Amino acid sequence: MKNLLFLIFLAPANLFCQIDLKKGLFGHYPIDGNLNDESGFRNNAAGENVIFSADRFGKPASAGYFNGVNAFASIPQNSKLNFRRNSSFSISVWVSPDPGNKWPAQAIIVKSPPHYDFTQSVWDYGIYLLNYRGMAGYGYNHILNSETVFNSRSCWYNIIITYAAGNWKMFINGKEESNSDFQQTISYDAESVLVLGRKGASDGDYYKGKMDDIRIYNRILTPDEISYLSANPCNKSSCPE
C-alpha cells in the first residue's frame, strides 16, 4: 500500500515536470503589483484606472481590479500578437467578475480596432463574458459559449481558449465546455489593439471584476498544460470544480 501511495503522489510530479510553460509564450501578465510582461518579450501593458487587489489565494496586490466603467490595460502593438487565420494560439486567464453588471458583454482580453461606435468595432479574436458565461470568437461571431455561469461572489474561474486554423475549444477550470470544428477563422487586422478589460481600442464592453495571470501562446496547449494552469480554481468550498 505504501508503494502504491508513493506512485500516486509521484505520478503528477513526473507528469508536470514534462510541461514547458515557457514554450511559445508570447505574453504573460501575472499582475504582481504591476502590468509587466514576464514572457521575456517585455511587452508591458499600460493600465488606466486598474487597481491592484488580492488574488485567488488572498495575496495582496496580486490581481487587477477593473471597475466596469473606465478601467482597462492596453498591450502595445506587437506583430507576434497579430494572429492570422492559419495561426495556432492559446489564451489563459483567471477572472472573478462582480455580480450584477447589467451590460451583457464584458471584454476580458480582446483585440479590436478603434471605432466611434464601439458596438461596430469588428474584433479580431479574444475572450468575453456574455451574460456571465464565457464566450470567444471574432467579429460578431460567438464561436464558443461556456456552460458554466460565472455567478459566484467568492469564486475565481480559469478560462482557456485554443485556436488552430479554424478549430476552436474553450475550457473552464480545465474542463472542455465548448468547441467548433467548422473551420470558422479569426479576423485579421494589423492595426487592432489587444486590451484587457475593454473591447480593444474601442470605448465599450468594460469588464467589472478581478483578473489575473493572463498568458498568450502561439501554439495549442496540451491537456496536461491546461490541467496545470487551471488547477486550484479557488480555496472556498462553494466554488465549482
Side-chain angles (χ1 to χ4, degrees), residues 119-167:
T119 65
Q120 299 301 309
S121 177
V122 181
W123 52 304
D124 293 359
Y125 64 84
I127 299 176
Y128 262 90
L129 291 187
L130 183 62
N131 295 317
Y132 284 92
R133 295 178 188 267
M135 185 270 281
Y138 69 94
Y140 299 107
N141 301 290
H142 305 172
I143 306 301
L144 302 173
N145 297 276
S146 77
E147 300 170 5
T148 298
V149 180
F150 297 30
N151 59 359
S152 171
R153 291 179 177 271
S154 59
C155 294
W156 283 81
Y157 303 84
N158 175 255
I159 307 172
I160 292 176
I161 65 165
T162 65
Y163 172 90
N167 295 301

Side-chain angles (χ1 to χ4, degrees), residues 102 132 156 179 206 237:
K102 295 181 180 179
Y132 284 92
W156 283 81
N179 64 75
Y206 285 93
S237 60

